[in-house]
Amino acid sequence: MKWYVQVVKPSTYNQQSTSVLVQIDSQRYLFNCGEGTQRLGFENKMRMSKISAIFLTRVDWETMGGLPGMLLTLADTGLGDLSVCGGHNLTHALAATRHFIMRNKLGLRVNEMRDGDATAAFQDKNLQVMPVHIYPDGYAVPNLELGPNESTESQVRKLLVSRAFGVPRSDEEADKRRKQHVDQQKKGYYAEKCDGATMEALMQKLEEKDEEEASKKKRARSPDLNARPVQISDVSLPKTKPTPAALCYIAQGPDVP
């Protein structure tokens, strides 16, 4: 079994967060995704497209500033199952990106690792990650940050995230979709050469299909011209409060001879 750890982005004078990439076999796990992480990863040929899970030590811009762009890139590579793990307010932060990120085929699994939640640990076939919550001296942890959160506000946030990023698929479906996307890229947009007449026929079929879909939408439109379905951006996020908590991760690989 081949595994190693790489420092993608060290802490700098204006960003106090370090991004670390762990590879075990063919899977990669990213710890913190600050601004510029994706660019540095591509410059050093770290193959970020194979990331299967992202872990955040804190839910703020220093540790997750590069996460929106990373999600867009991973979705465009055909990834069908991605886990994002972090502390309190993680679901709220991802739901807040619904106005400019809509990738409902990404299959995002959000694991909000809350203190006192026995099911908060992450585990797959390669890695087991357990969170340790760290608080400042004298900080009284409110009940809102403890244990599983099944409140109505939490359900609204989870629904918005599932609408924006889709539902996680099984591992087999995700691998199949990724391979299919790679095959399409290798073949190119047109698998075979086509002459002008064939191209014109294809364009005509596309125009007819667009006209048919437009007519269906027109027939299904409500008599009230001002009525329209509720958009994901119309739903307001419930209010929340920031937390000073930080997460330390204990990662354990598989047992091998």
Side-chain angles (χ1 to χ4, degrees):
M1 175 174 290
K2 181 181 179 181
W3 70 274
Y4 57 84
V5 179
Q6 289 179 284
V7 177
V8 183
K9 186 179 74 68
S11 177
T12 60
Y13 73 95
N14 59 350
Q15 277 196 338
Q16 302 300 320
S17 67
T18 302
S19 298
V20 177
L21 185 69
V22 178
Q23 176 175 344
I24 301 180
D25 281 347
S26 60
Q27 300 294 325
R28 288 169 172 79
Y29 307 88
L30 181 65
F31 290 82
N32 282 340
C33 187
E35 193 173 3
T37 301
Q38 185 176 186
R39 176 180 59 83
L40 291 172
F42 287 146
E43 287 180 358
N44 294 280
K45 300 179 181 179
M46 293 183 179
R47 301 188 69 179
M48 295 289 191
S49 60
K50 290 193 174 184
I51 291 176
S52 59
I54 299 174
F55 301 88
L56 304 176
T57 55
R58 286 176 288 117
V59 182
D60 61 14
W61 186 255
E62 285 188 347
T63 58
M64 61 179 300
L67 185 60
M70 181 70 75
L71 293 179
L72 289 171
T73 301
L74 294 177
D76 293 340
T77 60
L79 187 67
D81 192 358
L82 176 68
S83 297
V84 178
C85 307
H88 179 61
N89 285 334
L90 176 61
T91 310
H92 184 95
L94 291 172
T97 65
R98 68 194 184 281
H99 298 286
F100 55 93
I101 298 181
M102 287 293 291
R103 293 294 187 273
N104 53 13
K105 293 184 179 180
L106 176 59
L108 189 67
R109 181 184 288 106
V110 182
N111 186 0
E112 196 167 288
M113 297 177 167
R114 300 167 62 82
D115 198 357
D117 187 0
T119 62
F122 170 87
Q123 185 173 6
D124 63 1
K125 60 182 180 180
N126 293 323
L127 198 66
Q128 180 181 4
V129 180
M130 293 160 287
V132 178
H133 292 75
I134 302 174
Y135 301 98
D137 292 337
Y139 178 72
V141 184
N143 294 330
L144 185 63
E145 300 180 24
L146 297 175
N149 188 4
E150 300 297 335
S151 61
T152 305
E153 292 81 0
S154 175
Q155 297 300 323
V156 172
R157 298 185 185 102
K158 292 178 181 178
L159 180 61
L160 291 174
V161 170
S162 63
R163 287 280 303 276
F165 300 101
V167 180
R169 302 174 179 83
S170 63
D171 294 338
E172 294 180 359
E173 292 178 350
D175 292 340
K176 183 178 179 182
R177 187 168 181 267
R178 185 195 295 269
K179 291 178 181 178
Q180 182 181 4
H181 184 79
V182 171
D183 292 340
Q184 290 176 353
Q185 285 184 331
K186 289 181 179 178
K187 292 179 181 179
Y189 190 80
Y190 295 106
E192 299 177 358
K193 293 182 179 180
C194 55
D195 53 11
T198 307
M199 179 70 72
E200 187 176 351
L202 288 173
M203 294 299 295
Q204 186 175 359
K205 286 183 180 180
L206 288 175
E207 291 177 358
E208 292 176 356
K209 185 178 179 181
D210 292 341
E211 291 177 359
E212 184 178 356
E213 290 179 355
S215 62
K216 287 182 181 179
K217 290 181 181 179
K218 188 175 182 180
R219 289 195 300 267
R221 186 177 297 171
S222 172
D224 185 4
L225 298 178
N226 295 324
R228 64 183 181 89
V230 178
Q231 302 295 324
I232 188 174
S233 57
D234 295 338
V235 182
S236 300
L237 269 176
K239 293 183 179 180
T240 187
K241 293 182 179 180
T243 174
L247 266 67
C248 174
Y249 293 105
I250 301 174
Q252 180 180 354
D255 295 333
V256 295

